[in-house]
């Protein structure tokens, strides 16, 4: 496909949904014009290994290695190591594939040797043939902590995988946030961006941790460029995962409108699904449009990414107007 933009684009993403949009963009935007900034609030230590699920989901998706059924992990991977753990009486609750383990071994060794997460991610992605920069939101550990009614305080993966996101959420915190900083690479990408996109990731679990890195919100707000989010809520439902359940628990109506309201001044553009076209989301500070936003195939991803970029390009032709 030919490149339809020479704009420099930054896209902020979490796991599976965000990785699909990043993949769509990577198909149509050259590597020097697209940077993917990834949530690391889901990262955790497990059996002595540093697991960075969203970084790996984006990496495996962009390299074509991803398991198409789950949207995470390596396609066709085996779990012989997990089965061997059972011999020792372990009851593994987090499915680590044998090939996936190689990623965690290299990353953990590098981190223990003092390399930054940004640096080792660059080495891993390059080795898999990915040319587009994939950056962790911060090099610091900044785990998302979930307060629940039934199980008390849980780390993200305990809530998401071990408890299958069933506990009722009352509050979400980001541990160590006060010590986290933006990397030079993230700052440069944000400062040079002509367009900032927010993937169709869970705003509370995947995008909020990125916004919680000190300095991130202010840098975004300081950029007088299109800042456009894609709704993960379609037809009043989450495309995947706990977004709808979580919204209800946190007191929001489950709708694309509530997602736009949650982002507030952080965004000035919003894309939501055609089947929600009855919702009036645009206002004087927010342009909005509907598109077919459900991505089934690789081609769907590129088509949606192209449609988003084409829509944003119409903004310049229509500088005066508010809502499109
Ligand atoms: N999700 C699950 O629901 N169960 C798992 O056992 C699991 C293992 C796993 C291993 C590596 C990896 O990169 C992702 C994995 N995920 C698993 C997905 C992951 O928990 C979520 O995609 C994100 O953290 C939420 O965005």
């Amino acid at each position: 496909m030919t490149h339809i933009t020479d704009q420099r684009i930054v896209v902020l993403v979490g796991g599976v949904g965000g990785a699909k949009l990043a993949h769509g963009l990577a198909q149509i935007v050259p590597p020097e014009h697209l940077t993917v900034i990834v949530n690391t609030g889901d990262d955790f230590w497990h059996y002595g290994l540093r697991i960075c699920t969203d970084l790996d989901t984006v990496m495996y998706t962009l390299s074509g290695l991803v398991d198409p059924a789950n949207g995470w992990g390596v396609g066709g991977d085996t779990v012989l190591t997990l089965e061997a753990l059972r011999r020792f009486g372990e009851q593994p609750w987090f499915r680590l594939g044998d090939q996936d383990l190689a990623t965690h071994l290299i990353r953990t060794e590098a981190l223990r040797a003092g390399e930054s997460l940004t640096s080792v991610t660059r080495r891993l992605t390059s080795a898999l043939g990915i040319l587009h920069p994939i950056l962790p939101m911060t090099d610091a550990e900044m785990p998302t902590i979930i307060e629940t009614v039934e199980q008390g305080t849980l780390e993200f993966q305990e809530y998401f995988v071990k408890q299958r996101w069933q506990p009722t959420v009352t509050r979400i915190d980001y541990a160590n946030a006060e010590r986290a900083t933006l990397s030079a690479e993230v700052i440069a990408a944000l400062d040079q961006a002509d367009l900032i996109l927010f993937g169709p990731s869970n705003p509370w679990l995947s995008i909020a941790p990125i916004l919680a890195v000190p300095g991130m919100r202010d840098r975004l707000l300081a950029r007088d460029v299109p800042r456009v989010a894609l709704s993960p809520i379609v037809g009043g439902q989450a495309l995947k995962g706990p977004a709808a359940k979580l919204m209800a628990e946190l007191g929001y109506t489950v709708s694309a409108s509530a997602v736009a309201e949650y982002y507030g001044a952080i965004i000035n553009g919003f894309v939501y699904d055609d089947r929600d076209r009855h919702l009036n989301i645009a206002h004087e500070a927010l342009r909005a449009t509907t598109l077919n936003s459900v991505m089934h195939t690789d081609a769907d991803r590129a088509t949606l990414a192209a449609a988003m970029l084409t829509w944003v390009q119409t903004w310049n032709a229509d500088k005066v107007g508010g809502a499109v």
Side-chain angles (χ1 to χ4, degrees):
M1 195 175 297
T2 51
H3 298 140
I4 65 157
T5 179
D6 56 6
Q7 293 200 310
R8 285 157 301 185
I9 300 170
V10 165
V11 61
L12 311 185
V13 299
V16 178
K20 287 183 181 176
L21 181 67
H23 185 215
L25 290 162
Q27 291 178 59
I28 61 169
V29 180
E32 60 279 16
H33 283 179
L34 173 66
T35 300
V36 188
I37 297 180
V38 184
N39 169 40
T40 58
D42 301 7
D43 299 5
F44 72 129
W45 289 96
H46 196 54
Y47 290 111
L49 297 174
R50 188 68 181 158
I51 319 286
C52 301
T53 52
D54 287 355
L55 279 172
D56 291 347
T57 297
V58 173
M59 177 171 81
Y60 294 147
T61 301
L62 264 60
S63 63
L65 279 178
V66 78
D67 179 340
N70 288 329
W72 48 264
V74 174
D77 210 351
T78 50
V79 283
L80 297 173
T81 312
L82 281 200
E83 281 160 21
L85 280 169
R86 290 185 204 281
R87 286 189 203 134
F88 298 105
E90 294 292 313
Q91 294 181 317
W93 52 270
F94 196 77
R95 194 182 155 88
L96 286 176
D98 297 315
Q99 293 181 50
D100 190 27
L101 276 168
T103 301
H104 311 314
L105 290 172
I106 289 177
R107 176 166 47 222
T108 305
E109 185 181 46
L111 294 175
R112 288 199 190 284
E115 190 173 345
S116 70
L117 183 57
T118 300
S119 170
V120 68
T121 302
R122 190 188 308 121
R123 287 203 287 120
L124 289 166
T125 53
S126 302
L128 296 185
I130 298 172
L131 300 175
H132 296 85
I134 298 174
L135 302 177
M137 67 189 196
T138 178
D139 282 322
E141 290 183 20
M142 200 180 128
T144 300
I145 305 292
I146 317 276
E147 299 287 343
T148 71
V149 173
E150 300 84 354
Q151 303 284 337
T153 305
L154 298 173
E155 269 214 0
F156 180 84
Q157 298 294 349
E158 289 180 314
Y159 160 76
F160 192 86
V161 173
K162 198 174 188 180
Q163 302 293 336
R164 298 168 194 273
W165 42 273
Q166 289 315 297
T168 313
V169 176
T170 54
R171 194 186 145 91
I172 304 169
D173 283 319
Y174 312 101
N176 195 40
E178 66 287 352
R179 273 184 296 250
T181 53
L182 297 172
S183 64
E185 291 83 350
V186 165
I187 290 173
L190 290 173
D191 287 355
Q192 290 161 19
D194 302 305
L195 167 62
I196 298 168
L197 298 173
F198 298 73
S201 308
N202 186 314
W204 290 268
L205 294 177
S206 299
I207 304 294
I210 305 178
L211 299 177
V213 182
M216 176 61 91
R217 237 171 222 284
D218 290 345
R219 261 177 204 279
L220 289 170
L221 287 168
R223 295 308 323 281
D224 185 19
V225 296
R227 304 187 302 268
V228 180
L230 175 60
S231 176
I233 299 293
V234 172
Q237 291 184 335
L239 287 175
K240 196 175 192 312
K245 177 173 176 287
L246 191 73
M247 285 178 86
E249 288 166 4
L250 296 177
Y252 295 89
T253 21
V254 184
S255 71
S257 315
V259 172
E261 274 165 39
Y262 173 75
Y263 279 123
I266 288 286
I267 58 169
N268 52 23
F270 191 67
V271 175
Y272 56 113
D273 194 78
D274 283 335
R275 67 204 80 175
D276 290 323
R277 62 165 64 84
H278 57 280
L279 299 173
N280 287 318
I281 296 185
H283 53 78
E284 72 271 357
L286 185 72
R287 297 168 191 253
T289 196
T290 67
L291 292 171
N292 178 9
S293 71
V294 183
M295 297 171 272
H296 295 295
T297 64
D298 286 3
D300 290 346
R301 298 171 186 179
T303 303
L304 175 60
M308 289 181 72
L309 300 187
T310 304
W311 176 60
V312 172
Q313 277 168 358
T314 67
W315 292 23
N316 290 329
D318 172 38
K319 272 250 179 236
V320 202
V324 173

